[in-house]
Amino acid sequence: MKQLKQLITTIILFGFTLSTAAQNPGTFKRLIIDDDPPISRIWAKGKGDFNGNGFTDFMIAGEGSVIWYENPAQSGRTEWIRHIAYSGPNIGFEGCAVGDINNNGHLDIVIGGYHTSMVYILENPGYGAGPWKIHPIGGPKTDATYLYDLDGDGKLEIITRASELWSGGVGRDIQIWKLTGKDPFNATSWNRVRANRRDVGTGEHFNIGDVNSNGKMDIINV
């Protein structure tokens, strides 16, 4: 199990170096930063500058824990420091996205709960220091999450979809969560709408991008 956890953790830590030659896709270097993470089933991974020092950190989550690792670049160290953002009941964390939900300059985490069929916001306490508050905002569950300001009002929308096979049918819909209230950590401040007029079909995950270059973000699904 320890070897399996190490493998899962290090897969997302490959450094990527592009060659100047266009035909060379580049090389990867494996960097082990935690050979025994305290989560056996890592279902969510994300990145962001959680402590605001200008360097990219990353996070993992699963079961009932959310952990972020502090980039050692600023300090000159080589070891990545593990921080426990949240530890509690086995929610089955999966499908996360990182963004500043309340526009206070600190990155928060939006994440799904497989066992609870809920979406949660983990509130950054400021520079990632100390425990993060967890705020449920509603269901259905999600294992694919994006954050984007779709309407250009300066506030992030949450876009979610659950895996069809394991979610009891809700994977046929893509949900857009619009912040209509003042407190983004209060469930009543979010208005959830179904993005698709028709079932998007069975499948899982999705992506977003400006497919037709009209300045508006589109949703790509299978």
Side-chain angles (χ1 to χ4, degrees):
M1 178 60 74
K2 180 176 180 179
Q3 292 178 341
L4 176 61
K5 290 196 292 184
Q6 176 177 321
L7 174 63
I8 294 174
T9 305
T10 57
I11 281 175
I12 61 175
L13 297 177
F14 289 110
F16 185 63
T17 306
L18 279 175
S19 169
T20 54
Q23 67 274 16
N24 188 340
T27 57
F28 292 88
K29 178 182 178 181
R30 191 175 88 156
L31 175 66
I32 299 175
I33 61 92
D34 192 346
D35 62 359
D36 192 19
I39 307 175
S40 61
R41 295 181 180 180
I42 302 170
W43 289 344
K45 306 96 181 173
K47 63 181 179 65
D49 183 8
F50 296 117
N51 58 357
N53 67 352
F55 295 92
T56 300
D57 312 301
F58 78 92
M59 53 78 56
I60 59 174
E63 300 172 332
S65 298
V66 179
I67 297 170
W68 72 275
Y69 290 89
E70 181 180 342
N71 191 322
Q74 184 182 40
S75 64
R77 301 185 310 268
T78 57
E79 71 277 9
W80 291 65
I81 298 177
R82 179 202 294 172
H83 299 271
I84 307 297
Y86 176 83
S87 182
N90 187 357
I91 289 173
F93 287 121
E94 61 179 356
C96 70
V98 174
D100 185 1
I101 296 296
N102 57 344
N103 287 326
N104 69 345
H106 301 288
L107 294 179
D108 310 296
I109 299 170
V110 180
I111 195 165
Y114 175 80
H115 299 308
T116 59
S117 296
M118 295 285 287
V119 176
Y120 300 89
I121 300 175
L122 283 165
E123 180 184 356
N124 190 329
Y127 305 102
W132 298 39
K133 292 181 180 179
I134 186 169
H135 306 277
I137 62 169
K141 69 175 67 175
T142 178
D143 62 8
T145 307
Y146 285 89
L147 294 172
Y148 196 83
D149 181 7
L150 295 173
D151 55 8
D153 66 349
K155 296 181 288 187
L156 293 172
E157 276 74 55
I158 302 171
I159 310 121
T160 63
R161 185 189 185 189
S163 173
E164 178 67 30
L165 181 61
W166 306 109
S167 58
V170 297
R172 294 180 180 271
D173 295 331
I174 295 174
Q175 312 287 343
I176 296 178
W177 305 68
K178 170 68 179 174
L179 181 61
T180 55
K182 294 183 178 181
D183 181 6
F185 303 121
N186 189 318
T188 61
S189 294
W190 294 93
N191 181 33
R192 177 176 55 84
V193 297
R194 184 178 184 235
N196 48 301
R197 295 181 180 178
R198 296 178 296 176
D199 288 350
V200 295
T202 58
E204 58 182 317
H205 301 298
F206 66 98
N207 213 315
I208 61 175
D210 185 1
V211 175
N212 56 351
S213 300
N214 66 350
K216 298 179 180 179
M217 199 60 65
D218 306 299
I219 298 174
I220 305 101
N221 71 276
V222 294

PDB file of all heavy atoms in Angstrom, residues 81-116:
ATOM      1  N   ILE A  81       6.857  20.917   2.367  1.00  0.00           N
ATOM      2  CA  ILE A  81       6.230  20.818   3.688  1.00  0.00           C
ATOM      3  C   ILE A  81       4.762  20.449   3.533  1.00  0.00           C
ATOM      4  O   ILE A  81       4.025  21.090   2.795  1.00  0.00           O
ATOM      5  CB  ILE A  81       6.370  22.134   4.463  1.00  0.00           C
ATOM      6  CG1 ILE A  81       7.853  22.455   4.692  1.00  0.00           C
ATOM      7  CG2 ILE A  81       5.639  22.053   5.804  1.00  0.00           C
ATOM      8  CD1 ILE A  81       8.081  23.768   5.396  1.00  0.00           C
ATOM      9  N   ARG A  82       4.355  19.423   4.241  1.00  0.00           N
ATOM     10  CA  ARG A  82       2.970  18.965   4.213  1.00  0.00           C
ATOM     11  C   ARG A  82       2.128  19.756   5.203  1.00  0.00           C
ATOM     12  O   ARG A  82       2.497  19.911   6.362  1.00  0.00           O
ATOM     13  CB  ARG A  82       2.910  17.477   4.560  1.00  0.00           C
ATOM     14  CG  ARG A  82       1.506  16.895   4.594  1.00  0.00           C
ATOM     15  CD  ARG A  82       1.469  15.641   5.431  1.00  0.00           C
ATOM     16  NE  ARG A  82       2.243  14.544   4.872  1.00  0.00           N
ATOM     17  CZ  ARG A  82       2.478  13.392   5.517  1.00  0.00           C
ATOM     18  NH1 ARG A  82       2.009  13.219   6.743  1.00  0.00           N
ATOM     19  NH2 ARG A  82       3.195  12.441   4.955  1.00  0.00           N
ATOM     20  N   HIS A  83       0.971  20.267   4.735  1.00  0.00           N
ATOM     21  CA  HIS A  83       0.035  20.987   5.591  1.00  0.00           C
ATOM     22  C   HIS A  83      -1.329  20.293   5.529  1.00  0.00           C
ATOM     23  O   HIS A  83      -1.841  20.039   4.430  1.00  0.00           O
ATOM     24  CB  HIS A  83      -0.121  22.446   5.142  1.00  0.00           C
ATOM     25  CG  HIS A  83       1.138  23.249   5.194  1.00  0.00           C
ATOM     26  ND1 HIS A  83       1.534  23.947   6.321  1.00  0.00           N
ATOM     27  CD2 HIS A  83       2.091  23.470   4.249  1.00  0.00           C
ATOM     28  CE1 HIS A  83       2.675  24.567   6.077  1.00  0.00           C
ATOM     29  NE2 HIS A  83       3.039  24.298   4.828  1.00  0.00           N
ATOM     30  N   ILE A  84      -1.912  20.010   6.661  1.00  0.00           N
ATOM     31  CA  ILE A  84      -3.249  19.419   6.713  1.00  0.00           C
ATOM     32  C   ILE A  84      -4.266  20.561   6.668  1.00  0.00           C
ATOM     33  O   ILE A  84      -4.439  21.291   7.648  1.00  0.00           O
ATOM     34  CB  ILE A  84      -3.449  18.577   7.979  1.00  0.00           C
ATOM     35  CG1 ILE A  84      -2.338  17.540   8.114  1.00  0.00           C
ATOM     36  CG2 ILE A  84      -4.836  17.917   7.953  1.00  0.00           C
ATOM     37  CD1 ILE A  84      -2.297  16.522   7.008  1.00  0.00           C
ATOM     38  N   ALA A  85      -4.912  20.723   5.535  1.00  0.00           N
ATOM     39  CA  ALA A  85      -5.933  21.771   5.414  1.00  0.00           C
ATOM     40  C   ALA A  85      -7.221  21.357   6.111  1.00  0.00           C
ATOM     41  O   ALA A  85      -7.872  22.167   6.779  1.00  0.00           O
ATOM     42  CB  ALA A  85      -6.199  22.079   3.945  1.00  0.00           C
ATOM     43  N   TYR A  86      -7.579  20.089   5.950  1.00  0.00           N
ATOM     44  CA  TYR A  86      -8.817  19.604   6.568  1.00  0.00           C
ATOM     45  C   TYR A  86      -8.678  18.116   6.839  1.00  0.00           C
ATOM     46  O   TYR A  86      -8.119  17.360   6.026  1.00  0.00           O
ATOM     47  CB  TYR A  86     -10.019  19.839   5.654  1.00  0.00           C
ATOM     48  CG  TYR A  86     -11.313  19.268   6.201  1.00  0.00           C
ATOM     49  CD1 TYR A  86     -12.069  19.970   7.134  1.00  0.00           C
ATOM     50  CD2 TYR A  86     -11.760  18.007   5.813  1.00  0.00           C
ATOM     51  CE1 TYR A  86     -13.240  19.431   7.658  1.00  0.00           C
ATOM     52  CE2 TYR A  86     -12.928  17.473   6.328  1.00  0.00           C
ATOM     53  CZ  TYR A  86     -13.665  18.183   7.250  1.00  0.00           C
ATOM     54  OH  TYR A  86     -14.811  17.662   7.780  1.00  0.00           O
ATOM     55  N   SER A  87      -9.203  17.667   7.966  1.00  0.00           N
ATOM     56  CA  SER A  87      -9.254  16.251   8.294  1.00  0.00           C
ATOM     57  C   SER A  87     -10.533  16.004   9.089  1.00  0.00           C
ATOM     58  O   SER A  87     -10.783  16.674  10.093  1.00  0.00           O
ATOM     59  CB  SER A  87      -8.029  15.834   9.113  1.00  0.00           C
ATOM     60  OG  SER A  87      -8.059  14.443   9.392  1.00  0.00           O
ATOM     61  N   GLY A  88     -11.349  15.074   8.590  1.00  0.00           N
ATOM     62  CA  GLY A  88     -12.627  14.815   9.244  1.00  0.00           C
ATOM     63  C   GLY A  88     -13.216  13.497   8.776  1.00  0.00           C
ATOM     64  O   GLY A  88     -12.479  12.580   8.393  1.00  0.00           O
ATOM     65  N   PRO A  89     -14.540  13.378   8.795  1.00  0.00           N
ATOM     66  CA  PRO A  89     -15.197  12.143   8.367  1.00  0.00           C
ATOM     67  C   PRO A  89     -14.871  11.800   6.914  1.00  0.00           C
ATOM     68  O   PRO A  89     -14.483  12.663   6.123  1.00  0.00           O
ATOM     69  CB  PRO A  89     -16.689  12.473   8.534  1.00  0.00           C
ATOM     70  CG  PRO A  89     -16.731  13.616   9.487  1.00  0.00           C
ATOM     71  CD  PRO A  89     -15.489  14.405   9.253  1.00  0.00           C
ATOM     72  N   ASN A  90     -15.056  10.543   6.569  1.00  0.00           N
ATOM     73  CA  ASN A  90     -14.753  10.076   5.218  1.00  0.00           C
ATOM     74  C   ASN A  90     -15.816  10.572   4.234  1.00  0.00           C
ATOM     75  O   ASN A  90     -16.785   9.888   3.924  1.00  0.00           O
ATOM     76  CB  ASN A  90     -14.656   8.559   5.178  1.00  0.00           C
ATOM     77  CG  ASN A  90     -14.173   8.043   3.827  1.00  0.00           C
ATOM     78  OD1 ASN A  90     -13.952   8.814   2.894  1.00  0.00           O
ATOM     79  ND2 ASN A  90     -14.009   6.744   3.727  1.00  0.00           N
ATOM     80  N   ILE A  91     -15.620  11.784   3.747  1.00  0.00           N
ATOM     81  CA  ILE A  91     -16.535  12.391   2.783  1.00  0.00           C
ATOM     82  C   ILE A  91     -16.337  11.792   1.396  1.00  0.00           C
ATOM     83  O   ILE A  91     -17.256  11.729   0.594  1.00  0.00           O
ATOM     84  CB  ILE A  91     -16.317  13.921   2.762  1.00  0.00           C
ATOM     85  CG1 ILE A  91     -16.842  14.532   4.076  1.00  0.00           C
ATOM     86  CG2 ILE A  91     -16.995  14.582   1.566  1.00  0.00           C
ATOM     87  CD1 ILE A  91     -16.539  16.008   4.237  1.00  0.00           C
ATOM     88  N   GLY A  92     -15.114  11.318   1.131  1.00  0.00           N
ATOM     89  CA  GLY A  92     -14.792  10.819  -0.198  1.00  0.00           C
ATOM     90  C   GLY A  92     -14.504  11.962  -1.151  1.00  0.00           C
ATOM     91  O   GLY A  92     -15.102  12.062  -2.224  1.00  0.00           O
ATOM     92  N   PHE A  93     -13.573  12.826  -0.785  1.00  0.00           N
ATOM     93  CA  PHE A  93     -13.278  14.010  -1.586  1.00  0.00           C
ATOM     94  C   PHE A  93     -12.835  13.630  -3.000  1.00  0.00           C
ATOM     95  O   PHE A  93     -12.005  12.736  -3.185  1.00  0.00           O
ATOM     96  CB  PHE A  93     -12.179  14.846  -0.921  1.00  0.00           C
ATOM     97  CG  PHE A  93     -12.616  15.588   0.299  1.00  0.00           C
ATOM     98  CD1 PHE A  93     -12.000  15.371   1.523  1.00  0.00           C
ATOM     99  CD2 PHE A  93     -13.643  16.525   0.241  1.00  0.00           C
ATOM    100  CE1 PHE A  93     -12.389  16.080   2.654  1.00  0.00           C
ATOM    101  CE2 PHE A  93     -14.050  17.228   1.366  1.00  0.00           C
ATOM    102  CZ  PHE A  93     -13.417  17.002   2.576  1.00  0.00           C
ATOM    103  N   GLU A  94     -13.348  14.341  -3.992  1.00  0.00           N
ATOM    104  CA  GLU A  94     -12.966  14.130  -5.387  1.00  0.00           C
ATOM    105  C   GLU A  94     -13.372  15.351  -6.199  1.00  0.00           C
ATOM    106  O   GLU A  94     -14.190  16.157  -5.786  1.00  0.00           O
ATOM    107  CB  GLU A  94     -13.653  12.882  -5.950  1.00  0.00           C
ATOM    108  CG  GLU A  94     -15.174  12.954  -5.935  1.00  0.00           C
ATOM    109  CD  GLU A  94     -15.832  11.715  -6.520  1.00  0.00           C
ATOM    110  OE1 GLU A  94     -15.125  10.824  -7.011  1.00  0.00           O
ATOM    111  OE2 GLU A  94     -17.068  11.651  -6.486  1.00  0.00           O
ATOM    112  N   GLY A  95     -12.763  15.488  -7.371  1.00  0.00           N
ATOM    113  CA  GLY A  95     -13.169  16.523  -8.318  1.00  0.00           C
ATOM    114  C   GLY A  95     -13.004  17.927  -7.809  1.00  0.00           C
ATOM    115  O   GLY A  95     -13.994  18.585  -7.490  1.00  0.00           O
ATOM    116  N   CYS A  96     -11.780  18.455  -7.741  1.00  0.00           N
ATOM    117  CA  CYS A  96     -11.556  19.761  -7.133  1.00  0.00           C
ATOM    118  C   CYS A  96     -11.137  20.820  -8.151  1.00  0.00           C
ATOM    119  O   CYS A  96     -10.698  20.507  -9.260  1.00  0.00           O
ATOM    120  CB  CYS A  96     -10.502  19.663  -6.035  1.00  0.00           C
ATOM    121  SG  CYS A  96      -8.843  19.360  -6.653  1.00  0.00           S
ATOM    122  N   ALA A  97     -11.281  22.069  -7.757  1.00  0.00           N
ATOM    123  CA  ALA A  97     -10.784  23.217  -8.514  1.00  0.00           C
ATOM    124  C   ALA A  97     -10.325  24.261  -7.508  1.00  0.00           C
ATOM    125  O   ALA A  97     -10.859  24.355  -6.402  1.00  0.00           O
ATOM    126  CB  ALA A  97     -11.867  23.786  -9.425  1.00  0.00           C
ATOM    127  N   VAL A  98      -9.335  25.046  -7.903  1.00  0.00           N
ATOM    128  CA  VAL A  98      -8.729  26.035  -7.008  1.00  0.00           C
ATOM    129  C   VAL A  98      -9.017  27.437  -7.527  1.00  0.00           C
ATOM    130  O   VAL A  98      -8.848  27.716  -8.726  1.00  0.00           O
ATOM    131  CB  VAL A  98      -7.208  25.805  -6.908  1.00  0.00           C
ATOM    132  CG1 VAL A  98      -6.546  26.914  -6.099  1.00  0.00           C
ATOM    133  CG2 VAL A  98      -6.906  24.442  -6.296  1.00  0.00           C
ATOM    134  N   GLY A  99      -9.463  28.335  -6.663  1.00  0.00           N
ATOM    135  CA  GLY A  99      -9.733  29.708  -7.061  1.00  0.00           C
ATOM    136  C   GLY A  99     -10.088  30.565  -5.862  1.00  0.00           C
ATOM    137  O   GLY A  99     -10.419  30.061  -4.784  1.00  0.00           O
ATOM    138  N   ASP A 100     -10.037  31.865  -6.053  1.00  0.00           N
ATOM    139  CA  ASP A 100     -10.345  32.815  -4.982  1.00  0.00           C
ATOM    140  C   ASP A 100     -11.855  33.084  -4.981  1.00  0.00           C
ATOM    141  O   ASP A 100     -12.345  33.985  -5.662  1.00  0.00           O
ATOM    142  CB  ASP A 100      -9.554  34.111  -5.201  1.00  0.00           C
ATOM    143  CG  ASP A 100      -9.726  35.105  -4.063  1.00  0.00           C
ATOM    144  OD1 ASP A 100     -10.436  34.787  -3.091  1.00  0.00           O
ATOM    145  OD2 ASP A 100      -9.147  36.206  -4.155  1.00  0.00           O
ATOM    146  N   ILE A 101     -12.580  32.325  -4.200  1.00  0.00           N
ATOM    147  CA  ILE A 101     -14.041  32.374  -4.222  1.00  0.00           C
ATOM    148  C   ILE A 101     -14.587  33.684  -3.674  1.00  0.00           C
ATOM    149  O   ILE A 101     -15.573  34.230  -4.181  1.00  0.00           O
ATOM    150  CB  ILE A 101     -14.633  31.183  -3.439  1.00  0.00           C
ATOM    151  CG1 ILE A 101     -14.261  29.859  -4.121  1.00  0.00           C
ATOM    152  CG2 ILE A 101     -16.148  31.309  -3.316  1.00  0.00           C
ATOM    153  CD1 ILE A 101     -14.846  29.699  -5.511  1.00  0.00           C
ATOM    154  N   ASN A 102     -13.974  34.228  -2.631  1.00  0.00           N
ATOM    155  CA  ASN A 102     -14.512  35.442  -2.008  1.00  0.00           C
ATOM    156  C   ASN A 102     -13.688  36.692  -2.327  1.00  0.00           C
ATOM    157  O   ASN A 102     -13.859  37.737  -1.688  1.00  0.00           O
ATOM    158  CB  ASN A 102     -14.620  35.264  -0.490  1.00  0.00           C
ATOM    159  CG  ASN A 102     -13.283  34.910   0.154  1.00  0.00           C
ATOM    160  OD1 ASN A 102     -12.338  34.508  -0.513  1.00  0.00           O
ATOM    161  ND2 ASN A 102     -13.208  35.051   1.462  1.00  0.00           N
ATOM    162  N   ASN A 103     -12.803  36.592  -3.319  1.00  0.00           N
ATOM    163  CA  ASN A 103     -12.030  37.748  -3.800  1.00  0.00           C
ATOM    164  C   ASN A 103     -11.265  38.466  -2.682  1.00  0.00           C
ATOM    165  O   ASN A 103     -11.219  39.703  -2.634  1.00  0.00           O
ATOM    166  CB  ASN A 103     -12.947  38.755  -4.519  1.00  0.00           C
ATOM    167  CG  ASN A 103     -13.387  38.247  -5.886  1.00  0.00           C
ATOM    168  OD1 ASN A 103     -12.639  37.564  -6.571  1.00  0.00           O
ATOM    169  ND2 ASN A 103     -14.608  38.579  -6.267  1.00  0.00           N
ATOM    170  N   ASN A 104     -10.647  37.681  -1.790  1.00  0.00           N
ATOM    171  CA  ASN A 104      -9.853  38.294  -0.720  1.00  0.00           C
ATOM    172  C   ASN A 104      -8.356  38.104  -0.946  1.00  0.00           C
ATOM    173  O   ASN A 104      -7.552  38.404  -0.069  1.00  0.00           O
ATOM    174  CB  ASN A 104     -10.256  37.735   0.647  1.00  0.00           C
ATOM    175  CG  ASN A 104      -9.856  36.270   0.818  1.00  0.00           C
ATOM    176  OD1 ASN A 104      -9.536  35.576  -0.153  1.00  0.00           O
ATOM    177  ND2 ASN A 104      -9.904  35.789   2.046  1.00  0.00           N
ATOM    178  N   GLY A 105      -7.991  37.588  -2.118  1.00  0.00           N
ATOM    179  CA  GLY A 105      -6.584  37.413  -2.440  1.00  0.00           C
ATOM    180  C   GLY A 105      -5.993  36.081  -2.036  1.00  0.00           C
ATOM    181  O   GLY A 105      -4.799  35.840  -2.254  1.00  0.00           O
ATOM    182  N   HIS A 106      -6.811  35.183  -1.465  1.00  0.00           N
ATOM    183  CA  HIS A 106      -6.333  33.871  -1.035  1.00  0.00           C
ATOM    184  C   HIS A 106      -7.106  32.781  -1.772  1.00  0.00           C
ATOM    185  O   HIS A 106      -8.337  32.849  -1.891  1.00  0.00           O
ATOM    186  CB  HIS A 106      -6.500  33.707   0.474  1.00  0.00           C
ATOM    187  CG  HIS A 106      -5.771  34.740   1.281  1.00  0.00           C
ATOM    188  ND1 HIS A 106      -4.399  34.767   1.407  1.00  0.00           N
ATOM    189  CD2 HIS A 106      -6.232  35.816   1.984  1.00  0.00           C
ATOM    190  CE1 HIS A 106      -4.043  35.793   2.162  1.00  0.00           C
ATOM    191  NE2 HIS A 106      -5.132  36.452   2.524  1.00  0.00           N
ATOM    192  N   LEU A 107      -6.392  31.779  -2.251  1.00  0.00           N
ATOM    193  CA  LEU A 107      -7.011  30.723  -3.045  1.00  0.00           C
ATOM    194  C   LEU A 107      -7.750  29.726  -2.165  1.00  0.00           C
ATOM    195  O   LEU A 107      -7.200  29.198  -1.201  1.00  0.00           O
ATOM    196  CB  LEU A 107      -5.945  29.992  -3.865  1.00  0.00           C
ATOM    197  CG  LEU A 107      -5.256  30.805  -4.957  1.00  0.00           C
ATOM    198  CD1 LEU A 107      -4.196  29.952  -5.666  1.00  0.00           C
ATOM    199  CD2 LEU A 107      -6.266  31.344  -5.963  1.00  0.00           C
ATOM    200  N   ASP A 108      -8.999  29.469  -2.515  1.00  0.00           N
ATOM    201  CA  ASP A 108      -9.829  28.473  -1.857  1.00  0.00           C
ATOM    202  C   ASP A 108      -9.903  27.222  -2.725  1.00  0.00           C
ATOM    203  O   ASP A 108      -9.410  27.193  -3.850  1.00  0.00           O
ATOM    204  CB  ASP A 108     -11.224  29.048  -1.607  1.00  0.00           C
ATOM    205  CG  ASP A 108     -11.181  30.412  -0.936  1.00  0.00           C
ATOM    206  OD1 ASP A 108     -10.707  30.492   0.202  1.00  0.00           O
ATOM    207  OD2 ASP A 108     -11.600  31.409  -1.579  1.00  0.00           O
ATOM    208  N   ILE A 109     -10.545  26.186  -2.201  1.00  0.00           N
ATOM    209  CA  ILE A 109     -10.684  24.924  -2.929  1.00  0.00           C
ATOM    210  C   ILE A 109     -12.161  24.540  -2.984  1.00  0.00           C
ATOM    211  O   ILE A 109     -12.835  24.499  -1.951  1.00  0.00           O
ATOM    212  CB  ILE A 109      -9.883  23.797  -2.246  1.00  0.00           C
ATOM    213  CG1 ILE A 109      -8.383  24.141  -2.217  1.00  0.00           C
ATOM    214  CG2 ILE A 109     -10.111  22.470  -2.960  1.00  0.00           C
ATOM    215  CD1 ILE A 109      -7.565  23.195  -1.353  1.00  0.00           C
ATOM    216  N   VAL A 110     -12.666  24.278  -4.188  1.00  0.00           N
ATOM    217  CA  VAL A 110     -14.012  23.736  -4.364  1.00  0.00           C
ATOM    218  C   VAL A 110     -13.854  22.251  -4.676  1.00  0.00           C
ATOM    219  O   VAL A 110     -13.067  21.874  -5.549  1.00  0.00           O
ATOM    220  CB  VAL A 110     -14.760  24.448  -5.498  1.00  0.00           C
ATOM    221  CG1 VAL A 110     -16.156  23.856  -5.667  1.00  0.00           C
ATOM    222  CG2 VAL A 110     -14.843  25.942  -5.227  1.00  0.00           C
ATOM    223  N   ILE A 111     -14.613  21.407  -3.990  1.00  0.00           N
ATOM    224  CA  ILE A 111     -14.381  19.973  -4.094  1.00  0.00           C
ATOM    225  C   ILE A 111     -15.675  19.205  -3.859  1.00  0.00           C
ATOM    226  O   ILE A 111     -16.567  19.667  -3.139  1.00  0.00           O
ATOM    227  CB  ILE A 111     -13.289  19.545  -3.081  1.00  0.00           C
ATOM    228  CG1 ILE A 111     -12.752  18.159  -3.386  1.00  0.00           C
ATOM    229  CG2 ILE A 111     -13.782  19.681  -1.648  1.00  0.00           C
ATOM    230  CD1 ILE A 111     -11.444  17.853  -2.660  1.00  0.00           C
ATOM    231  N   GLY A 112     -15.785  18.052  -4.477  1.00  0.00           N
ATOM    232  CA  GLY A 112     -16.967  17.221  -4.324  1.00  0.00           C
ATOM    233  C   GLY A 112     -16.798  16.173  -3.233  1.00  0.00           C
ATOM    234  O   GLY A 112     -15.679  15.817  -2.858  1.00  0.00           O
ATOM    235  N   GLY A 113     -17.926  15.677  -2.737  1.00  0.00           N
ATOM    236  CA  GLY A 113     -17.934  14.597  -1.753  1.00  0.00           C
ATOM    237  C   GLY A 113     -18.685  13.404  -2.315  1.00  0.00           C
ATOM    238  O   GLY A 113     -19.907  13.466  -2.480  1.00  0.00           O
ATOM    239  N   TYR A 114     -17.970  12.346  -2.613  1.00  0.00           N
ATOM    240  CA  TYR A 114     -18.591  11.171  -3.225  1.00  0.00           C
ATOM    241  C   TYR A 114     -19.631  10.541  -2.295  1.00  0.00           C
ATOM    242  O   TYR A 114     -20.739  10.195  -2.725  1.00  0.00           O
ATOM    243  CB  TYR A 114     -17.520  10.145  -3.582  1.00  0.00           C
ATOM    244  CG  TYR A 114     -18.073   8.839  -4.109  1.00  0.00           C
ATOM    245  CD1 TYR A 114     -18.487   8.738  -5.435  1.00  0.00           C
ATOM    246  CD2 TYR A 114     -18.203   7.729  -3.278  1.00  0.00           C
ATOM    247  CE1 TYR A 114     -19.018   7.547  -5.917  1.00  0.00           C
ATOM    248  CE2 TYR A 114     -18.724   6.540  -3.761  1.00  0.00           C
ATOM    249  CZ  TYR A 114     -19.134   6.449  -5.083  1.00  0.00           C
ATOM    250  OH  TYR A 114     -19.653   5.286  -5.559  1.00  0.00           O
ATOM    251  N   HIS A 115     -19.286  10.385  -1.033  1.00  0.00           N
ATOM    252  CA  HIS A 115     -20.170   9.689  -0.095  1.00  0.00           C
ATOM    253  C   HIS A 115     -21.332  10.550   0.373  1.00  0.00           C
ATOM    254  O   HIS A 115     -22.343  10.023   0.851  1.00  0.00           O
ATOM    255  CB  HIS A 115     -19.371   9.203   1.118  1.00  0.00           C
ATOM    256  CG  HIS A 115     -18.288   8.230   0.777  1.00  0.00           C
ATOM    257  ND1 HIS A 115     -18.511   7.093   0.022  1.00  0.00           N
ATOM    258  CD2 HIS A 115     -16.956   8.233   1.083  1.00  0.00           C
ATOM    259  CE1 HIS A 115     -17.379   6.428  -0.117  1.00  0.00           C
ATOM    260  NE2 HIS A 115     -16.428   7.101   0.503  1.00  0.00           N
ATOM    261  N   THR A 116     -21.212  11.853   0.254  1.00  0.00           N
ATOM    262  CA  THR A 116     -22.247  12.755   0.755  1.00  0.00           C
ATOM    263  C   THR A 116     -23.094  13.378  -0.347  1.00  0.00           C
ATOM    264  O   THR A 116     -24.096  14.035  -0.058  1.00  0.00           O
ATOM    265  CB  THR A 116     -21.612  13.890   1.571  1.00  0.00           C
ATOM    266  OG1 THR A 116     -20.699  14.610   0.732  1.00  0.00           O
ATOM    267  CG2 THR A 116     -20.861  13.341   2.778  1.00  0.00           C
TER     268      THR A 116
END
